[in-house]
Amino acid sequence: MTQEVGNVERDAKITEKRRLPAWIIVSAFLILVVFLALIGWGLSRSMRAGLSKGDPAPQFSMSTFDGKTINTADYTGKVVVVNFWASWCKPCEQEARELEGASQYFKKDGQAVFVGLAYVDTEPKSLGYLQQFGVTYPNGPDLATKVSQQYGVKGVPETFIIDRQGRLAYFRAGPFNSVDEIVAIVNSVLGQ
C-alpha cells in the first residue's frame, strides 16, 4: 500500500511537471481563434459577388473572334447585355439561342446591345459553339479571365445587364429560360 501511495504521488508530480503554463494555453487558443476568423473572413469575401446592383460596371475592350475590337465605353447611352459562357458549359447551351433571339429583337432599334465572352475556353471550341447555336452578336475570348475577374464571375453562364448610365441593373447566374424573359428584363432596364 505504501508503494501504491508513493506511485500515485510520483505520478501526480510528473503530471504537474508536464502541464503547460496557463498563459501558453490561453495564447494558443487565441491564436487559433484569430486564424479561424481570418479563414472565415477570406471565404466570405470570395463568396461575395463582384458587383452589386447600381455599381458602375467595369468598361472593357475585347477582340472579337472575327477580328474586330469593341469597347463597352462606345455603348454609353445603350443597355449592354454582357454574357459569360463556355462551349463546355451545358447550361450555356440552354440559353444560347434565347440570347441570340433577344439580340435580334433589340438589333432593330439599337437601344440594347449584346456582348459575349468565352470563359476559360479554346478558340476552336468557342467558334464551333457560336456556329452551332447561330450566335451573331459580338463574342470574343476572355483571355486570362481578365474581364470575368473584373465582374466577379463565379461560373458560367452569368449575365450582367448594364443600364444606359453604365451601372449594373440586373445580374443572372444560370441560364435564361426564354427570349421573352430576356426581352422583358431588358425592356424593364430600358424603361428606367
Side-chain angles (χ1 to χ4, degrees):
M1 178 106 128
T2 334
Q3 187 176 3
E4 286 180 26
V5 171
N7 286 341
V8 169
E9 288 175 0
R10 185 190 60 186
D11 289 345
K13 287 180 183 177
I14 291 172
T15 303
E16 197 173 296
K17 287 180 184 178
R18 289 184 188 167
R19 196 177 276 167
L20 292 172
W23 70 270
I24 291 177
I25 295 170
V26 169
S27 296
F29 180 74
L30 289 174
I31 289 170
L32 178 64
V33 167
V34 168
F35 179 71
L36 291 173
L38 286 172
I39 288 174
W41 176 75
L43 286 173
S44 71
R45 283 194 66 205
S46 70
M47 297 301 283
R48 232 181 312 161
L51 294 176
S52 297
K53 189 175 179 180
D55 286 350
Q59 294 182 345
F60 60 91
S61 290
M62 70 177 220
S63 294
T64 63
F65 287 119
D66 58 2
K68 297 176 185 166
T69 300
I70 63 168
N71 188 328
T72 56
D74 296 338
Y75 298 135
T76 302
K78 297 180 182 208
V79 169
V80 182
V81 178
V82 181
N83 177 255
F84 292 88
W85 59 273
S87 66
W88 46 262
C89 165
K90 290 299 177 192
C92 297
E93 293 177 2
Q94 296 170 10
E95 71 173 6
R97 285 191 173 89
E98 283 73 17
L99 284 164
E100 174 60 23
S103 77
Q104 291 300 319
Y105 177 89
F106 288 105
K107 192 175 189 176
K108 298 169 193 166
D109 65 10
Q111 291 186 52
V113 294
F114 287 62
V115 176
L117 289 121
Y119 176 79
V120 190
D121 211 345
T122 65
E123 186 169 339
K125 290 187 178 187
S126 296
L127 290 171
Y129 174 94
L130 295 171
Q131 183 177 8
Q132 177 183 355
F133 296 104
V135 177
T136 61
Y137 57 88
N139 274 269
D142 184 14
L143 298 174
T145 66
K146 180 182 166 191
V147 179
S148 56
Q149 287 180 31
Q150 290 177 310
Y151 277 76
V153 171
K154 303 288 184 227
V156 288
E158 287 190 13
T159 305
F160 298 81
I161 301 179
I162 302 162
D163 68 16
R164 296 173 195 254
Q165 291 75 40
R167 297 181 312 248
L168 179 64
Y170 181 86
F171 167 73
R172 172 73 161 254
F176 287 101
N177 297 313
S178 69
V179 172
D180 291 338
E181 178 186 19
I182 301 167
V183 168
I185 294 166
V186 172
N187 275 330
S188 73
V189 174
L190 284 167
Q192 294 177 357

